Amino acid sequence: MLVTWVSLVSATTTSPQLARALGWTLRPLLSWGVPVGAVTTTVSIALRFIPEVIEEFDRIRLAQIARGARFDDRRVSRRLRSYAAVLVPLVASLFGRSDQLAEAMRDRGFTGGGTLMSPPRLEARDLMVMLTSVAVPVLVVLM
């Protein structure tokens, strides 16, 4: 049931929408000093990297199979040893990626404060740009 719910939510909701909903849900914790912006940023980054972790795991597992690792052995100890041969390089790779991400965030001035993103509000100039971007192509086609 939980897997079905998670699959449904992840198929119908983008990461920014999930982060915004989480920030809104956790907003009351701001009064207790919980860094809600940092929590939502962390969750967004974690969600973003799930597919990459799965892809990296598969890549390393296939490399280990090419080197003779057996993941289908009946003995649990041998299977665990084979998966340990995957998990060690996976963790090392994830630490490398997290270090790169930390450097990139630092270089871009991220301080960890985070903000609760509110939905953008349309202003008059936004409506003018939208109307112009629709009207110009229509006029070009009609002329």
Side-chain angles (χ1 to χ4, degrees), residues 68-115:
R70 305 258 328 198
F71 294 97
D72 57 353
D73 198 317
R74 288 183 172 231
R75 289 193 201 166
V76 175
S77 62
R78 286 187 183 173
R79 261 189 290 159
L80 286 175
R81 198 172 305 129
S82 295
Y83 277 107
V86 172
L87 291 178
V88 170
L90 178 66
V91 169
S93 171
L94 293 177
F95 275 120
R97 285 183 189 216
S98 66
D99 192 41
Q100 289 174 348
L101 178 63
E103 287 179 15
M105 291 173 75
R106 185 194 65 230
D107 292 345
R108 287 169 178 81
F110 183 77
T111 60
T115 59

Side-chain angles (χ1 to χ4, degrees), residues 24-142:
W24 181 82
T25 304
L26 297 177
R27 185 173 286 178
L29 298 177
L30 282 171
S31 61
W32 290 359
V34 174
V36 173
V39 170
T40 57
T41 301
T42 303
V43 170
S44 294
I45 291 170
L47 290 174
R48 158 69 177 86
F49 279 101
I50 289 173
E52 289 192 28
V53 170
I54 292 169
E55 193 175 295
E56 183 79 7
F57 177 84
D58 288 340
R59 187 185 64 76
I60 295 170
R61 188 177 61 81
L62 289 174
Q64 292 298 333
I65 288 171
R67 292 183 181 110
R70 305 258 328 198
F71 294 97
D72 57 353
D73 198 317
R74 288 183 172 231
R75 289 193 201 166
V76 175
S77 62
R78 286 187 183 173
R79 261 189 290 159
L80 286 175
R81 198 172 305 129
S82 295
Y83 277 107
V86 172
L87 291 178
V88 170
L90 178 66
V91 169
S93 171
L94 293 177
F95 275 120
R97 285 183 189 216
S98 66
D99 192 41
Q100 289 174 348
L101 178 63
E103 287 179 15
M105 291 173 75
R106 185 194 65 230
D107 292 345
R108 287 169 178 81
F110 183 77
T111 60
T115 59
L116 296 175
M117 299 180 343
S118 59
R121 302 197 191 285
L122 288 178
E123 296 179 9
R125 66 178 177 206
D126 297 323
L127 292 173
M128 290 300 294
V129 169
M130 288 170 50
L131 289 173
T132 304
S133 65
V134 170
V136 169
V138 168
L139 291 173
V140 168
V141 169
L142 292 176

